[in-house]
Structures are given as C-alpha cells and as structure tokens.
Amino acid sequence: MLIESRRRAYLCAMQVVHWLPRAELPFAAPSRPELLLPQAPVEDIEFDVRPAAPSATPPPAAPQARSGERPKIEIPRPASTAKPAPKAVEAEETAPGVRPAPVPPPRFALQLLRAGSCLLLVELATGQPFQSRDPSYLLLKDMLRAAGLPDAPQIIGEPVRWPLLVRGNMDQGPDAARDFVQGFIQARLEETPCTCLWLVGLPALRFAAEVQTEAYYQELKVDGLGDAWALPGLELLMDEPQRKADVWQAMRQLMARWKSVE
C-alpha cells in the first residue's frame, strides 16, 4: 500500500498542491477545514503578484463521508521493483570462477638397471642413455664393484623420460609422474624381485619414494617397492667428491643385504 510520504511526493512531482480524494484514504492525515469551503469564482479573486516561492508541503487530506462503495485504488506492488535482484544473483552464479594455474610438468630422465639381486634407478643428468666411456657410467661401475655386485649392470628397457607428451591435455604434473615411475618399477619387480632398490639422484628419490635430499645415504621402506637406498646423483658425486665417503660408510652397513643373497 502506498504510504502518505510517497503519495505526497508523487503529487508534488505532478505540481498538484491542493487535492481531495474521492473517498477516505487509509492512513491519511485529516485535512484542514478551510480546504473544504466552497471556492469563489476565478474572476472574483484578486491575486497579489508576488515572487514565486517554493511550494509548501501539500496539506493533509480530510476524511469524507464513507460511500456505499469504495473505488478501487491501484497500488504499485513492491515485487515489481525487486525483480532485477534475481538477475544479479544469476549473474554471480554464472560468472566463471578463478581457476588455479596448472602446475607445470617436471622434467627428468631415469634409467632402470639390474646388478645381481639389486635394481638401480639412476638419474640421467643429460637425458641420454649411458655410454660405455661416460664418466658417470664409469663411476657407477666403480660403486657396484665396491659393493660386491656385478660391474656390468643390465639395462632394463628404455629410459623413463618425463613429460611423456610434448602436447596434449593429459595430466603430466608431479602426481602423475610419481604414479608412472612407481608403476614402472612395480612391473619390473613382479617379473624379478630384488633385495634392494638403489635410488640414485633427486628425481629418483622424489618420484619413486616421495622423499627429498635429506634422505641421502639412508635406507627407506617404500610402499609397493620394498627396501630402497637413497643416493646422490652421479653428477653430484663427481662435482663433490667428499660425498663418496658418506656413500661408502652407508654401503658398508647395507652390503650384507645383497651379499647374503649372492
């Protein structure tokens, strides 16, 4: 229902200063008695010329005698002005959310080898397979010889290079890389079990055992892969020869594991 203040605002906008309703309006203030007196003819009224002044507040309407039938008053419904609100809500619901930036795929290359009863997952720093005269491969042979294992390891399959695809929408993030590397090793273990898995290099530690550099020289228990030994990469051992003493000390404690099988 239209309130009195809004009704007055509508009348002022239409420049209606004095007015009387046909019927008594609900919630209307009583009218002033002088407004109910009969008006004189227009020609008999003398008007004083005065500067225009802002119109006063329209007088309140006076109640009249109730008639038998009250005319219907069209009252604007508030619901008609509240319709744009659902549109704003729909716009917020349909607005696309901010998507997190995709994680770039890691890049690494790993080679799986077998030496006696041990499997070796070795980082390929250059991404290329081992060559017989590579310094890193010669260092690996020396480490196997010191461990009492065959110094001519058997290369198993092609190197695992990540990402697998240069293009495409396939997920190639760190989690997918870890699942692939672990699945690859588990398949080889089902063919021929091993007593110890050497993890040589940080990518081998991250994507096979989910550990970092603080696990170097330690023996690990990896779900689905069994016993593992964490080692620095071959390139790192050549750049920092003092690490070889830590490798040798840890090797002496683990050597009985694979020598007892031999």
Side-chain angles (χ1 to χ4, degrees):
M1 182 175 294
L2 195 64
I3 61 177
E4 181 64 20
S5 60
R6 185 174 297 181
R7 184 184 295 110
R8 292 180 180 180
Y10 286 170
L11 292 173
C12 290
M14 293 184 294
Q15 298 182 355
V16 176
V17 180
H18 304 292
W19 65 281
L20 290 174
R22 294 181 179 179
E24 181 180 357
L25 299 179
F27 307 108
S31 300
R32 290 180 295 178
E34 61 270 16
L35 297 179
L36 301 178
L37 298 176
Q39 296 182 0
V42 177
E43 58 272 13
D44 297 336
I45 301 176
E46 296 181 359
F47 296 96
D48 295 335
V49 180
R50 296 180 180 179
S55 59
T57 305
Q64 291 186 354
R66 298 178 180 269
S67 58
E69 183 179 355
R70 178 176 294 180
K72 297 182 179 180
I73 302 175
E74 296 294 334
I75 300 175
R77 302 292 180 182
S80 60
T81 59
K83 289 183 178 180
K87 295 183 179 180
V89 175
E90 293 177 1
E92 293 178 0
E93 293 177 355
T94 56
V98 179
R99 297 182 178 179
V103 180
R107 298 184 177 276
F108 60 86
L110 299 171
Q111 179 67 65
L112 188 64
L113 305 96
R114 179 177 293 276
S117 61
C118 294
L119 279 179
L120 293 79
L121 186 65
V122 185
E123 175 192 8
L124 298 176
T126 62
Q128 300 300 321
F130 284 123
Q131 301 296 327
S132 58
R133 303 308 299 174
D134 285 347
S136 57
Y137 184 67
L138 295 177
L139 175 59
L140 180 62
K141 291 169 65 73
D142 292 340
M143 294 172 60
L144 293 174
R145 193 178 303 113
L149 295 171
D151 61 355
Q154 174 190 358
I155 296 178
I156 302 177
E158 295 293 325
V160 176
R161 293 185 174 88
W162 199 268
L164 293 176
L165 302 176
V166 179
R167 299 179 181 176
N169 297 327
M170 186 181 73
D171 180 19
Q172 300 190 94
D175 293 340
R178 182 183 63 252
D179 294 341
F180 183 85
V181 172
Q182 291 182 348
F184 176 75
I185 300 174
Q186 289 175 357
R188 305 290 82 79
L189 290 175
E190 291 178 359
E191 297 173 358
T192 306
C194 74
T195 58
C196 186
L197 173 64
W198 292 23
L199 301 176
V200 185
L202 181 57
L205 271 66
R206 289 182 58 193
F207 301 107
E210 301 183 54
V211 295
Q212 301 293 334
T213 56
E214 64 272 8
Y216 282 159
Y217 321 113
Q218 298 180 16
E219 184 180 7
L220 309 173
K221 294 285 187 180
V222 184
D223 293 340
L225 303 182
D227 297 327
W229 183 28
L231 294 168
L234 299 176
E235 295 290 334
L236 183 58
L237 290 175
M238 290 189 296
D239 294 340
E240 302 179 9
Q242 68 274 11
R243 291 180 177 268
K244 295 180 182 179
D246 297 327
V247 173
W248 170 245
Q249 184 177 358
M251 183 187 295
R252 293 178 60 184
Q253 299 176 2
L254 298 174
M255 200 177 300
R257 180 181 298 277
W258 52 77
K259 273 196 170 182
S260 60
V261 178
E262 296 293 335

